[in-house]
Amino acid sequence: MLVISLMNIRNLSWNRIQSIPNLFSPIALLLVFAASGSGALASENKVNQDQLETGRKIYMEGLLPSGQPVKAFVQNDIALSEEQASCGSCHRKSGMGSSEGQQVVPAIAGRILFNPLQIPTSKPPEAPILRPAYTDQSLRRAITSGLGADGYPLDPNMPRYNLSEQDLDAVVAYLKSLSSEYSPGVDEGVIHFATIVAGDASESAQDAHMAVMNKFLKQKNTETRHEGKRAENAPWHKKWIMGNYRKWKLHTWKLTGPADSWAEQLASYYRTAPVFAVIGGVAGGSWQPVHDFCQSNRLPCIFPTTNLPVISDSDFYPLYLSKGMFLEGEAVADQIALAGLGDKTAVQVYTKGDQKAATAAEGLRKTLGENGGDVQDVVLTSDHDMSADTLSELSSAEVLVLWLKWQDIEKIWSQITAKGIPGNLYLSSSLAGKPSADVGTSLRDKALFVHTQGLPGQLHRLLARSTGWLRANRIYKPEHKHVQGNAFFALKAAGDAVTNIRGFFLRDYFIERIEHMVDNAPYTSVYPRITLAPNQRFVSKGYIISRLGKSGRHMAVTDWVAPR
């Protein structure tokens, strides 16, 4: 919403600003902390909740209390849509700003707006420029007329808003409250994190995950440079970085029993020890109870190992590595379209009660349905017996998808091919597992495998960074290399984000920094390519299709593809 004088002050160096986690200089942070009167600010923020909600809707959604879009313009006469006019689309949910290339959008959270700010110049040792503190009056002027607290025009890309006095009051009140208090889970010397192990994951997978978490935390807290003492006695010009040092404390939240009991278990853990964020986790079944808990408590939950994440267009706090099984269904739908078979009925087979297979089938059904295609489901009982009519239907299918384990695939394939061979066959690599050594020629030549991770032969390269660390610490479990690689990725992402929030211990800002940084991460776990942007919740979005070679190895027949 407010591009406050950072981008139009004379002699301002873009590079200097961008080197300060895209926001402020060390001097500026010092000045903000020194000038902040937390008690006074907190009392000012005790405003009418209806007014705050009005301000939030204008800020985050670009909507007035009536439901009508906010009227805003750039370059004097270019009208913006409600999404373009929402302040949060640029300044983000936390109000801590963002950047894109050379364009820097500054922070507008209350504790920063309503205090003076020193901005470095492009010609050191020339003194920094002082931006005065905003007042209610100067902030209203900035919103409507585009003049900053210093009287200079704001950036031309900063919208000028047409708001009533009442709505202006609501926006100002909301900005005063925005990120005015730091999030739970942080004290003077410690930042608290949790990790989650669910009882539906194997004991060996849980142990492999916890080995990474515990070793990483132990090493991080070693303080080889005496960080604790440096934080307590930092010279004034380095206090902005050293004074924010915190040890990490890990809380293990182990979930047992049926999934419908997990919500109360999570609530009990959280009451006992509120944490700043949940880092990683491992589960055999659905992540839904954890997702719902984290979203309702505004608790970041980043990068668990799960094939069954929650796919939501609106939830903010859970971040995932991949859509898992649902993505496999999307991938098959994408391949059907690319092969020009969208007008054919796809027949998919899965076992009743298999949640992972049912989720993949849902992904295929939903994606094909949105594109006008048709899907027929064949749901097997545990004995996998099929009628002669069903076998004939499968053998004559133009597109056949088997969401089954390998031993079951071989069993029904022999029954199907006794009546004929289908046109195209797709299998799930994660469900099928490792093919048997004596794969029949007809199955080997026909089957196309969907991979939402790197091919088995690629994993040693993708996991080189984490595997080297795991081996050096003697905790490497090759049968769970993906679990350990994911845990390592989650920890490194969290560590980078904590460093870059520079003492602004805000959960929303923590998530936003991860969104901003993932593209440049030198570690990808088991995924060939990762990327993240605002409002995206899955860092890996692609797939690979493979065939089996004569040696039984997977041979790629596509590049890494993102579904259209």
Side-chain angles (χ1 to χ4, degrees), residues 138-286:
S138 64
L139 184 54
R140 289 187 180 91
R141 182 185 67 181
I143 294 170
T144 57
S145 302
L147 292 177
D150 53 9
Y152 283 98
L154 301 177
D155 187 271
N157 291 319
M158 163 63 194
R160 277 55 168 166
Y161 289 82
N162 185 0
L163 295 172
S164 69
E165 288 297 320
Q166 187 175 6
D167 292 336
L168 268 174
D169 289 342
V171 173
V172 170
Y174 182 73
L175 290 176
K176 285 182 178 180
S177 72
L178 187 59
S179 299
S180 60
E181 296 180 2
Y182 289 156
S183 302
V186 184
D187 56 39
E188 287 300 317
V190 177
I191 181 167
H192 296 262
F193 293 104
T195 194
I196 293 174
V197 289
D200 57 3
S202 69
E203 287 290 337
S204 58
Q206 294 180 44
D207 292 344
H209 172 78
M210 290 308 305
V212 179
M213 302 298 295
N214 290 329
K215 179 61 71 172
F216 190 97
L217 266 289
K218 183 177 180 181
Q219 288 188 357
K220 189 166 188 65
N221 291 334
T222 299
E223 291 194 345
T224 54
R225 297 182 301 163
H226 305 287
E227 284 90 343
K229 292 182 180 179
R230 285 153 59 92
E232 293 175 5
N233 302 290
W236 71 270
H237 63 288
K238 290 190 176 180
K239 192 171 182 63
W240 64 279
I241 185 169
M242 295 181 184
N244 297 322
Y245 170 75
R246 300 290 190 280
K247 283 192 173 184
W248 287 23
K249 182 173 177 59
L250 182 67
H251 302 262
T252 303
W253 292 357
K254 186 165 186 176
L255 305 177
T256 59
D260 59 11
S261 70
W262 289 2
E264 180 51 42
Q265 294 179 53
L266 289 165
S268 177
Y269 281 126
Y270 190 68
R271 284 192 300 268
T272 302
V275 297
F276 183 71
V278 174
I279 303 176
V282 59
S286 174

Side-chain angles (χ1 to χ4, degrees), residues 2 9 63 87 119-120 150 168 173 192 227 232 249 291 306 414-415 447 480 490 535 540:
L2 299 176
I9 292 179
L63 293 175
C87 316
I119 305 169
D150 53 9
L168 268 174
H192 296 262
E227 284 90 343
E232 293 175 5
K249 182 173 177 59
H291 177 106
T306 174
S414 61
Q415 299 176 50
H480 293 299
N535 301 320
S540 178

Side-chain angles (χ1 to χ4, degrees), residues 432-466:
K434 187 176 181 180
S436 60
D438 54 347
V439 180
T441 302
S442 64
L443 180 54
R444 185 184 65 224
D445 292 346
K446 180 63 65 173
L448 293 171
F449 291 80
V450 180
H451 303 260
T452 54
Q453 302 175 359
L455 297 182
Q458 297 176 329
L459 295 185
H460 70 283
R461 175 179 57 82
L462 294 173
L463 294 172
R465 184 181 176 95
S466 61

Side-chain angles (χ1 to χ4, degrees), residues 56-68:
R56 186 201 66 79
K57 286 184 71 70
I58 294 172
Y59 181 90
M60 287 301 302
E61 302 174 33
L63 293 175
L64 297 169
S66 64
Q68 294 298 309

Side-chain angles (χ1 to χ4, degrees), residues 348-426:
Q348 58 180 354
V349 183
Y350 57 96
T351 305
K352 183 179 181 179
D354 187 331
Q355 192 176 13
K356 294 178 182 178
T359 300
E362 179 190 358
L364 175 58
R365 189 185 310 112
K366 184 175 186 295
T367 309
L368 272 187
E370 290 173 349
N371 296 326
D374 188 29
V375 179
Q376 180 178 342
D377 289 3
V378 175
V379 184
L380 305 177
T381 58
S382 57
D383 57 14
H384 292 167
D385 285 338
M386 290 178 286
S387 67
D389 289 343
T390 299
L391 288 171
S392 295
E393 191 173 21
L394 299 185
S395 66
S396 61
E398 287 284 348
V399 178
L400 178 61
V401 187
L402 302 181
W403 304 115
L404 299 170
K405 297 178 181 177
W406 187 256
Q407 61 268 29
D408 299 325
I409 292 169
E410 289 188 309
K411 177 182 177 181
I412 72 167
W413 182 251
S414 61
Q415 299 176 50
I416 293 169
T417 53
K419 294 182 173 292
I421 297 179
N424 295 270
L425 175 66
Y426 293 95

Side-chain angles (χ1 to χ4, degrees), residues 70 74 76 83 135 147 181 250 256 311 323 399 489-490 499 524:
V70 170
V74 295
N76 296 323
E83 182 178 355
T135 64
L147 292 177
E181 296 180 2
L250 182 67
T256 59
I311 298 170
K323 287 184 180 179
V399 178
F489 177 89
T499 298
T524 65

